Amino acid sequence: FPSHDNRRCELRKITMLPLELKLIAGPCSAESYEQLRSVAKELTYYNLFAFRAGIWKPRTQPGAFEGAGEEGLKWMQDIHAEFNLNLLTEVANATHVEQALSYGFNTLWIGARTTSNPFSVQELADALKGSSTTVLIKNPTNPDLKLWIGGIERLYKAGIANVIAVHRGFSTYDKQKYRNLPNWQIPIALRAEFPNLEIICDPSHIAGIVTGK
């Protein structure tokens, strides 16, 4: 808790529920082997749950960099070999799943845009059926609790036991101080639906914007 003196911070003893902090870090997208290795080397000082990097990037408009593809998977495989980091990347279709698993990924995430499409989630669930992969599923882009629940149920019905929900906030047309609105009531409602489901927070989109406006 910060004191009134901004130059220092006083920590008070508080009682918290026992928990395991899952720290996930890494570049938004894999752009080169050198970039990945530089970041991974710095992150070896932390007890990471996973080293993440986007291999395939779903851009709003064509023409932008949409990821390194399979070449990036090779880079990530080399990173794992050198630093023994658990690898994590986003998948959006069955081909992505097949390629990621072939390069040794045992943790994958489903992005917000994909969660918003039940057809896409079902395709991924079918591709992952029978695997022991840990799957992180982000909330849909719009604040629709049922879409999030439906995506999780599709994974469970495919026999995927290790599912983690990721709260990353919700897109809004009227941009204010947050890039995405937290809408905390939605992950709280998700907890009521799945009392034993692990829910983690991705603060990168809900931590505000650079200008603070």
Side-chain angles (χ1 to χ4, degrees):
F1 296 93
S3 67
H4 293 296
D5 181 355
N6 291 330
R7 293 172 297 178
R8 60 192 179 91
C9 179
E10 295 178 352
L11 298 178
R12 302 172 188 173
K13 188 175 182 180
I14 58 175
T15 301
M16 297 182 65
L17 293 173
L19 54 83
E20 177 189 356
L21 180 65
K22 278 187 167 56
L23 182 61
I24 299 171
C28 178
S29 63
E31 298 176 6
S32 70
Y33 172 72
E34 291 73 24
Q35 171 225 28
L36 290 176
R37 188 181 184 282
S38 174
V39 176
K41 185 177 180 181
E42 293 298 323
L43 291 174
T44 55
Y45 298 103
Y46 303 93
N47 184 25
L48 290 188
F49 168 69
F51 176 70
R52 59 140 290 158
I55 300 299
W56 302 279
K57 299 298 295 181
R59 301 301 186 186
T60 303
Q61 295 176 298
F65 176 69
E66 295 187 332
E70 189 172 2
E71 183 67 19
L73 294 175
K74 297 175 184 177
W75 300 336
M76 292 287 277
Q77 190 177 55
D78 290 343
I79 294 298
H80 173 73
E82 181 174 359
F83 299 107
N84 196 31
L85 293 171
N86 183 37
L87 304 179
L88 174 63
T89 196
E90 178 178 359
V91 291
N93 58 50
T95 300
H96 292 170
V97 171
E98 180 182 355
Q99 290 185 347
L101 295 182
S102 71
Y103 279 90
F105 283 72
N106 56 23
T107 310
L108 302 171
W109 92 75
I110 299 175
R113 296 183 183 188
T114 306
T115 305
S116 300
N117 186 337
F119 290 109
S120 296
V121 178
Q122 188 61 55
E123 179 183 344
L124 293 173
D126 291 341
L128 287 161
K129 193 170 185 177
S131 76
S132 59
T133 308
T134 297
V135 180
L136 283 65
I137 179 168
K138 292 191 176 184
N139 60 248
T141 53
N142 54 312
D144 188 330
L145 175 62
K146 288 185 178 180
L147 267 179
W148 204 2
I149 291 173
I152 293 166
E153 288 177 338
R154 290 175 189 276
L155 296 173
Y156 281 150
K157 287 183 177 180
I160 302 165
N162 302 320
V163 178
I164 301 174
V166 180
H167 172 231
R168 47 85 83 182
F170 302 88
S171 299
T172 173
Y173 177 77
D174 183 20
K175 301 298 182 184
Q176 298 183 15
K177 64 178 180 179
Y178 300 110
R179 178 179 175 185
N180 284 355
L181 294 179
N183 287 342
W184 296 107
Q185 72 275 12
I186 293 179
I188 291 172
L190 186 71
R191 165 66 69 217
E193 292 288 332
F194 301 100
N196 297 317
L197 175 69
E198 186 171 3
I199 304 175
I200 62 178
C201 182
D202 174 1
S204 59
H205 289 69
I206 58 178
I209 57 177
V210 175
T211 61
K213 297 179 180 179

